[in-house]
Amino acid sequence: MKLFFRIALCLFLVKCANSKVSNNITASNPKDNLYGWFHKDIHNNEIPGISLDKWCDKNVGKNNTQQNITVAILDSQLDINHEDLKSQIWINKGEIPDNGIDDDQNGYVDDVNGWSFLGGKNGQNLIWSNFDYIRLIRKSKEKFELDTLNSPKDFKEYKRAIAFFKKEKNYYQNYLKSLEYGIVLFPLAKDTLKHYFPKEDYTYSKLDSLYKIYGNGKSFWEKRDAGDKDFAALIHSMMVNKELNINSIDYLIDKADQQNFILKKCLDFDYNERVDIMNFDLKNSINY
């Protein structure tokens, strides 16, 4: 979707107004000087912001002549009916609104204000979609099989994408396996450790002291791959949870759901996100 420069200028003015408020604050604590840090300038304030205050001081109210600049919004949503924006939205004058016809013959029907290139035909948002390197591999594979992938550069990029895909898939599979192992051990560890910590007030340090007595020297990965559920494995799993600040099994289940969907959709060459646009309940989609 494309917008005129005036939208950006409007947002700048709002930020400028806010920044002026922050500039009038007298900081009693040095950390308060970082309030609105993103408005600051590395040279004026020794704070690496975006220099918004500096820009406002030089430009606001100076009657500068500005050319119209079309700004495209990428990877975000915008309320085109918002009272501050609706009069500034770019309009494709070659398209007649809502007539179901591609009037300007650019391949997009009713693209009056732009186009959602990765969404449903009725405007739905995608929840899961292929990673870009999956698209590249699928497209290049079709060309390769048809003997039309003749460019050495394209073939090199195709091979690079294949190598990256293998690495990423291995990562997500291992991550999921660890999460599933953690889900199995979490209630067992929680229940067993009550014998030593009735109030469940154990810390990583306390668990580590216990593990030094009952540990068997196996790494977490060795325990995971062997499916160990002995006392040493239970202590070790809870140590990992403490180290990663994981305090509930729900967190592990949510993470496992996400990795499942990444493997089944984002990394699946046969997955078609445009067909599979629907709302997923991540908590209840997979049962552990």
Side-chain angles (χ1 to χ4, degrees):
M1 186 175 291
K2 298 181 178 179
L3 310 173
F4 283 115
F5 173 76
R6 283 172 290 179
I7 296 177
L9 180 59
C10 177
L11 295 176
F12 268 131
L13 293 176
V14 172
K15 289 295 184 181
C16 285
N18 291 337
S19 70
K20 295 303 180 184
V21 174
S22 67
N23 285 342
N24 292 328
I25 295 176
T26 301
S28 57
N29 187 320
K31 291 184 178 180
D32 292 339
N33 290 323
L34 295 178
Y35 182 84
W37 65 269
F38 41 89
H39 295 164
K40 308 302 181 182
D41 178 76
I42 187 63
H43 298 293
N44 289 3
N45 316 105
E46 297 184 354
I47 298 176
I50 64 170
S51 304
L52 181 59
D53 289 344
K54 181 178 180 180
W55 184 93
C56 290
D57 290 339
K58 290 185 177 180
N59 294 280
V60 176
K62 303 295 177 61
N63 296 320
N64 291 334
T65 301
Q66 298 286 352
Q67 294 180 343
N68 285 336
I69 299 176
T70 303
V71 180
I73 301 298
L74 304 177
D75 196 28
S76 185
Q77 299 182 35
L78 181 72
D79 181 6
I80 64 175
N81 294 313
H82 191 283
E83 59 183 9
D84 294 331
L85 302 177
K86 61 184 179 182
S87 63
Q88 310 294 337
I89 303 297
W90 175 84
I91 297 176
N92 179 7
K93 296 181 180 180
E95 197 73 38
I96 300 173
D98 303 320
N99 67 349
I101 300 173
D102 181 14
D103 299 292
D104 59 2
Q105 297 183 1
N106 66 350
Y108 307 106
V109 176
D110 291 333
D111 57 322
V112 179
N113 303 124
W115 190 261
S116 174
F117 286 92
L118 199 60
K121 63 180 181 180
N122 295 322
Q124 309 102 313
N125 292 323
L126 293 177
I127 298 176
W128 300 101
S129 62
N130 284 150
F131 291 136
D132 280 346
Y133 56 88
I134 298 297
R135 302 176 195 280
L136 187 149
I137 293 171
R138 183 169 53 227
K139 184 177 180 180
S140 298
K141 185 174 183 292
E142 293 172 354
K143 291 183 177 179
F144 183 74
E145 290 176 346
L146 295 172
D147 199 27
T148 57
L149 188 64
N150 298 318
S151 168
K153 181 179 178 181
D154 288 345
F155 187 71
K156 182 179 180 180
E157 189 69 7
Y158 170 59
K159 297 294 286 185
R160 190 170 76 92
I162 288 286
F164 189 76
F165 160 69
K166 291 179 179 179
K167 177 183 176 182
E168 289 291 283
K169 186 173 183 178
N170 181 66
Y171 166 79
Y172 285 110
Q173 286 175 333
N174 270 290
Y175 190 9
L176 177 59
K177 190 174 182 180
S178 296
L179 289 166
E180 290 175 333
Y181 181 58
I183 290 168
V184 171
L185 293 193
F186 193 92
L188 300 176
K190 196 174 178 66
D191 183 62
T192 303
L193 288 170
K194 284 183 179 180
H195 175 74
Y196 295 89
F197 307 96
K199 296 181 180 180
E200 298 185 6
D201 57 347
Y202 40 81
T203 62
Y204 181 91
S205 179
K206 291 179 180 180
L207 291 171
D208 186 49
S209 297
L210 193 62
Y211 188 72
K212 287 177 180 176
I213 300 173
Y214 296 101
N216 54 19
K218 294 174 68 174
S219 69
F220 174 81
W221 317 111
E222 290 173 326
K223 293 183 177 73
R224 183 201 69 179
D225 293 342
D228 290 354
K229 298 179 184 178
D230 60 342
F231 189 41
L234 299 181
I235 300 172
H236 200 175
S237 70
M238 195 56 76
M239 287 174 62
V240 172
N241 290 333
K242 286 295 180 181
E243 188 175 25
L244 298 177
N245 198 30
I246 298 172
N247 299 310
S248 74
I249 194 172
D250 289 339
Y251 176 87
L252 294 171
I253 291 175
D254 284 344
K255 278 292 184 181
D257 277 343
Q258 292 174 28
Q259 309 320 306
N260 258 298
F261 280 114
I262 288 173
L263 286 164
K264 294 180 179 179
K265 298 183 184 298
C266 302
L267 290 169
D268 185 357
F269 294 103
D270 296 323
Y271 175 64
N272 187 336
E273 59 263 13
R274 295 190 182 278
V275 174
D276 194 26
I277 296 175
M278 58 184 294
N279 291 322
F280 291 100
D281 182 352
L282 293 182
K283 279 193 174 182
N284 299 319
S285 58
I286 298 175
N287 297 317
Y288 290 101

